[in-house]
Amino acid sequence: MDELDGGDAWDVEVAGEEEEQGVVALASADPRGKGAAPGTDDVVAPKKKIVKRKKKVAPIRINLSACKYEVLRIVQRKLGWKEVGDDDEWEVYWTDTSITIDRIVRLSRTQKINHFNGMLELCRKRAMARNLMKLQKVFPEHFDFFPQTFVLPGDLQLLVDDVKARGKKQFYILKPDAGCQGKGIRLMQGGKEETLQKVLSEMGTLNIVAQHYLPEPYLINGFKFDLRIYALVVCVDPLRVFVYKEGLVRICTEQYVKPKASNVNLSFMHLTNYAINKKNEEFVANNGDSDDASKLSLEQLQEYMEDDGHDWGGVWASIHGVIVKSLASVQPGLKNNYRSAVPIDNDGFSCFEILGYDIMLDTSLRPWLIECNHSSSFNIDSPLDLAIKEALVTDTLDLVRIDPKLIARTKKAEKKAAGVRLLEPLKALAAKAKELKDSSKAVQQQQQQQGSAHEGSAEAGGSAGGGASGGGGAASGGAGAGSDAAGGSGSAGGALPTTIKASADVLFRPRNNEELEAWRAGILCKRERYEAKHSGGFTRIYPVDDAALQATYDKLLRGSEEVSGNAFGGARVGRKGPMGPDWEERRKKEAEESEAGKAERVKVKAQRDKLAQQALERRRLREAPQPQPSLGVQGGDASGGSGSNNIGGGGTGTGAHPLPFSVYEHAFLGPYCRPDEVYRGGSTCSGGADDPLGPSWVPQVELVLPALVSQVEGLASARQARAEREAGKQRQGEQAWK
């Protein structure tokens, strides 16, 4: 929708920033409600000011049928929006689950949805680990923010070897791929393969992610904790990411002790999930500004760390880097999914998504990515949850720009564009038909004038000449040379258009890549101006103003594009880096290729190029405009011009033979005439050899309107095929009866 702010894609002008009805005007009114009586003095009526009325903008309709969280309805009522269901029209769709790509395909220009298709590549534990490890092989110095990970069942043997090699000092945390709220998570001590096999059998699935357990986390008053950071992705092509200033600090409910065989099963000590710790009797709810609660805000954590002598700004910047780098690992897939589902002139902002990042700090204040959630919990069990999440949702809906005035202008422009798109072909046809009819009338008048001037001649011939070799007779009876145009030259010749073309380029002007890039750049400029005023509690973390940091992020995105391109192209498993470890080997093989092999490869390429060129030539021939017949009208006193492309036949008669039928009617109804008939437009047209247009009018009309002819022929072919099938069935039935 952003392209309509300051100039839309269709160049539709919308008067005024606000939709208003009425204007400020001064009107004079008769105070008695009627005109003054004759003979009386004119009464000067007081000027009445018409107050302008603003058009009431319809409220935004939000579909919450797939959302269970009450905070969305609180925000919806606060904004004055209207909640609707699946059977109603809506502008915003908020769902708690992931979406398929067909949901994005069905989005209109004024609709938004709160998920991107493909985000599960980051929000499923196994997929996230695979994507991060791919880029870790290319950029090991940048992708070191997650623990060593094993994706089962593929890495099962690697995990067994690691368990044996590291011994009992190493502890592992195993998580189900699609688990949430701490369900199914297990801790285990290394050293024995039997222990691993036992834990795996108890978990009941091999779709598991196993990681090295972080043994030395940063503690708050002796308790382990993690951070829930909210990141907002507003666009994936190009990538635009924001982070919210507030979040949650989720604290365990038992004092932390380094893991050992006797405490690996103590979930309240090792797992920070709120769904687990709220069941403990030691859980302390945060009903205000309590600093000893089991759930704090980021602001409270900042105060605690600064009082402890730590640099919160450095920690916060490191967390930003973790978020951007993780999104860089999946951005190519998100971009591909989005662009494959929307039209090319989509502004890129039809989807948005709030991601919940779980971050843990170690004793050196280094952030570690634990997991990412695409449907973060918006439960409001405490005043702290309500305050943070209500503000988060409100600022999100403001930042993604769901503006009722902009939506109204967009719909108005779409309605106008649709009307133009539907009516323009009809208007073009009517204009051409009117031009054709006016030209025929002018020719008739000229012929009538010439006929009256040469009345009484002993012999006069008339024929219609034109086309590639035809000509038009002059007043003296000579044959004039003509070209591939309508009509002949001479005093009696008249231009008579023979084609009726519907203009299909009223709105849909093709954009080249340069125009498209310029248009998208303009959209981004407008978007940045809007975001600067409506960011609320959000801070943009990509793109960034720091040139050096931006260059680093761009390098990571390019590397992710190359890795994803190799994956889509069928790269072999085990490649290291974008080109793979066998790249040099393949280069050597190509260099050692025999001359015969090179010659064969060149021959095949030449044949392929030849076929491609032939296909291109055939396409050009199909798209080339067909030569249009000329329709000339001959008038003279002695002899008529002739040619190979003439319409009608020669004969005797008056030199000024008027067109005996409506050209307008022939242009529209001619293709539907049978080849042996001529449509008679209410005149003396006999369709024979004496008629100046004669039976050949039908094939000429077929050339003028090939689309209609092909349609009729297609219907006739289908009717004939159906009749043949029915006859075949009848014959089969008769044979079966016999």
Side-chain angles (χ1 to χ4, degrees):
M1 296 187 299
D2 293 285
E3 67 268 19
L4 294 179
D5 186 18
D8 54 68
W10 306 292
D11 298 328
V12 179
E13 295 183 0
V14 182
E17 185 65 22
E18 299 179 349
E19 296 290 342
E20 299 178 354
Q21 285 184 340
V23 294
V24 178
L26 296 178
S28 59
D30 190 77
R32 296 169 296 178
K34 56 184 179 179
T40 62
D41 295 335
D42 294 338
V43 179
V44 179
K47 295 181 179 180
K48 183 182 294 184
K49 184 177 181 180
I50 301 176
V51 181
K52 59 181 180 181
R53 298 178 181 177
K54 293 184 178 180
K55 184 178 180 180
K56 187 176 180 181
V57 180
I60 295 295
R61 295 164 294 185
I62 181 170
N63 189 337
L64 299 176
S65 59
C67 177
K68 65 180 180 181
Y69 297 114
E70 184 61 26
V71 67
L72 269 299
R73 292 168 175 84
I74 293 175
V75 174
Q76 166 251 316
R77 291 191 292 268
K78 180 177 69 174
L79 296 176
W81 292 5
K82 180 181 179 182
E83 181 181 356
V84 297
D86 290 332
D87 297 333
D88 303 313
E89 294 291 330
W90 47 266
E91 285 75 44
V92 184
Y93 189 92
W94 193 290
T95 174
D96 300 336
T97 60
S98 59
I99 60 172
T100 57
I101 200 166
D102 64 302
R103 172 75 73 175
I104 303 178
V105 171
R106 296 196 301 267
L107 289 178
S108 69
R109 191 180 293 269
T110 58
Q111 291 179 325
K112 292 182 183 290
I113 194 167
N114 71 319
H115 285 293
F116 287 94
N117 178 259
M119 194 62 79
L120 290 181
E121 286 294 308
L122 182 63
C123 299
R124 284 282 187 265
K125 299 177 181 64
R126 295 198 305 162
M128 182 185 74
R130 283 193 296 265
N131 289 310
L132 293 179
M133 287 190 292
K134 285 179 183 178
L135 286 187
Q136 188 182 50
K137 295 176 181 179
V138 186
F139 306 105
E141 70 279 9
H142 293 292
F143 285 82
D144 58 351
F145 51 81
F146 58 98
Q148 185 173 351
T149 306
F150 303 90
V151 180
L152 305 186
D155 295 341
L156 179 59
Q157 187 58 47
L158 295 176
L159 177 60
V160 171
D161 296 341
D162 192 80
V163 168
K164 292 179 180 179
R166 294 184 180 271
K168 294 183 178 180
K169 292 183 179 180
Q170 182 63 54
F171 285 81
Y172 300 84
I173 181 168
L174 288 77
K175 307 174 184 178
D177 180 44
C180 61
Q181 299 181 345
K183 299 175 182 177
I185 297 179
R186 296 292 303 273
L187 267 69
M188 60 160 282
Q189 186 179 22
K192 294 182 180 180
E193 181 180 355
E194 294 77 10
T195 305
L196 174 61
Q197 297 295 344
K198 180 181 178 182
V199 172
L200 293 178
S201 62
E202 291 175 354
M203 295 185 69
T205 179
L206 282 180
N207 294 328
I208 295 171
V209 168
Q211 293 178 318
H212 285 179
Y213 185 80
L214 299 176
E216 296 182 354
Y218 181 73
L219 304 178
I220 296 180
N221 300 323
F223 293 91
K224 182 182 176 181
F225 71 95
D226 73 349
L227 310 178
R228 170 58 61 87
I229 308 296
Y230 295 106
L232 174 64
V233 182
V234 298
C235 184
V236 295
D237 182 27
L239 184 64
R240 298 184 70 82
V241 188
F242 293 79
V243 67
Y244 200 60
K245 64 179 181 180
E246 267 296 0
L248 297 173
V249 182
R250 305 177 301 179
I251 307 174
C252 291
T253 50
E254 285 192 19
Q255 289 278 345
Y256 179 76
V257 179
K258 285 188 177 182
K260 51 186 177 181
S262 60
N263 67 8
V264 292
N265 293 325
L266 297 180
S267 300
F268 298 142
M269 177 187 295
H270 297 290
L271 302 183
T272 58
N273 302 80
Y274 168 73
I276 291 177
N277 285 280
K278 71 178 183 179
K279 300 175 182 177
N280 192 356
E281 296 178 354
E282 301 297 327
F283 180 83
V284 179
N286 192 332
N287 296 320
D289 296 332
S290 176
D291 293 333
D292 59 349
S294 298
K295 184 184 288 187
L296 303 177
S297 65
L298 287 183
E299 183 180 3
Q300 291 175 299
L301 175 63
Q302 178 180 354
E303 294 176 358
Y304 177 86
M305 294 183 66
E306 290 177 347
D307 293 342
D308 204 17
H310 299 298
D311 179 20
W312 170 255
V315 174
W316 191 235
S318 300
I319 293 174
H320 293 176
V322 170
I323 295 173
V324 174
K325 292 173 184 177
S326 63
L327 282 167
S329 67
V330 297
Q331 188 267 347
L334 296 174
K335 172 184 174 181
N336 180 70
N337 290 350
Y338 184 84
R339 286 301 174 189
S340 65
V342 298
I344 192 172
D345 61 347
N346 181 274
D347 61 2
F349 294 91
S350 296
C351 300
F352 64 94
E353 188 152 0
I354 299 176
L355 299 175
Y357 277 85
D358 292 345
I359 305 291
M360 190 173 293
L361 303 177
D362 60 14
T363 52
S364 63
L365 301 183
R366 178 183 177 183
W368 293 85
L369 176 60
I370 304 303
E371 63 182 44
C372 180
N373 301 274
H374 78 289
S375 292
S376 302
S377 172
F378 283 102
N379 285 321
I380 46 177
D381 299 340
S382 66
L384 176 67
D385 288 285
L386 176 60
I388 292 177
K389 295 173 182 178
E390 181 182 354
L392 169 65
V393 174
T394 303
D395 290 350
T396 297
L397 295 177
D398 186 26
L399 182 59
V400 300
R401 194 172 193 188
I402 306 171
D403 186 358
K405 294 180 181 178
L406 183 60
I407 291 174
R409 293 201 298 270
T410 304
K411 290 183 177 180
K412 182 178 180 180
E414 285 183 337
K415 185 177 180 180
K416 182 176 180 180
V420 172
R421 192 164 56 246
L422 292 174
L423 296 178
E424 182 62 22
L426 299 179
K427 292 179 179 178
L429 286 173
K432 290 293 183 180
K434 185 177 183 299
E435 181 183 355
L436 193 65
K437 194 170 184 179
D438 294 342
S439 300
S440 65
K441 289 181 178 179
V443 172
Q444 292 180 21
Q445 293 176 359
Q446 292 178 1
Q447 291 178 340
Q448 290 175 359
Q449 293 175 1
Q450 293 178 359
S452 60
H454 292 278
E455 188 176 3
S457 300
E459 183 177 0
S463 64
S469 59
S476 61
S483 62
D484 203 13
S489 61
S491 60
L496 187 62
T498 59
T499 59
I500 301 176
K501 295 181 181 180
S503 174
D505 300 330
V506 179
L507 293 176
F508 296 98
R509 296 182 297 273
R511 291 191 179 103
N512 54 38
N513 291 333
E514 291 77 10
E515 291 177 345
L516 186 61
E517 291 299 327
W519 177 74
R520 289 182 177 176
I523 294 296
L524 288 179
C525 289
K526 299 174 188 175
R527 190 77 191 190
E528 288 181 353
R529 292 196 298 267
Y530 178 85
E531 291 169 352
K533 299 178 181 179
H534 298 267
S535 57
F538 283 101
T539 301
R540 194 180 70 194
I541 60 176
Y542 187 88
V544 293
D545 297 329
D546 187 342
L549 184 58
Q550 181 66 32
T552 300
Y553 288 157
D554 291 342
K555 180 179 69 173
L556 299 180
L557 281 172
R558 288 194 299 270
S560 180
E561 287 277 1
E562 293 176 357
V563 171
S564 300
N566 288 339
F568 294 150
R572 289 186 289 275
V573 178
R575 283 192 172 185
K576 297 180 180 179
M579 305 307 298
D582 58 343
W583 180 62
E584 292 293 339
E585 183 180 353
R586 288 186 286 112
R587 288 287 300 272
K588 291 179 181 179
K589 288 183 178 180
E590 292 176 1
E592 296 172 356
E593 187 179 10
S594 63
E595 294 297 329
K598 290 182 180 179
E600 182 66 23
R601 187 154 49 86
V602 171
K603 182 179 179 182
V604 171
K605 184 178 183 301
Q607 180 67 15
R608 195 164 54 241
D609 294 342
K610 180 180 179 181
L611 294 176
Q613 184 66 25
Q614 292 176 354
L616 183 61
E617 292 296 334
R618 289 194 298 270
R619 181 178 179 182
R620 288 176 179 173
L621 289 175
R622 288 196 302 267
E623 295 179 353
Q626 297 182 0
Q628 302 297 337
S630 299
L631 190 59
V633 179
Q634 167 77 22
D637 57 350
S639 63
S642 61
S644 60
N645 198 24
N646 66 312
I647 298 179
T652 59
T654 62
H657 193 299
L659 291 178
F661 53 90
S662 170
V663 179
Y664 177 86
E665 293 172 348
H666 272 287
F668 282 91
L669 301 178
Y672 295 99
C673 298
R674 295 197 303 271
D676 56 342
E677 290 184 359
V678 174
Y679 171 76
R680 297 190 174 98
S683 68
T684 60
C685 174
S686 62
D690 295 336
D691 195 280
L693 295 181
S696 61
W697 171 256
V698 174
Q700 297 298 331
V701 172
E702 291 177 355
L703 290 175
V704 174
L705 297 175
L708 293 177
V709 174
S710 61
Q711 182 179 5
V712 173
E713 291 177 350
L715 293 174
S717 299
R719 187 180 298 108
Q720 182 179 359
R722 185 166 60 251
E724 292 177 354
R725 288 196 301 270
E726 293 177 355
K729 291 180 181 179
Q730 185 176 2
R731 286 195 299 270
Q732 292 178 359
E734 292 176 354
Q735 292 176 359
W737 182 80
K738 290 179 180 179

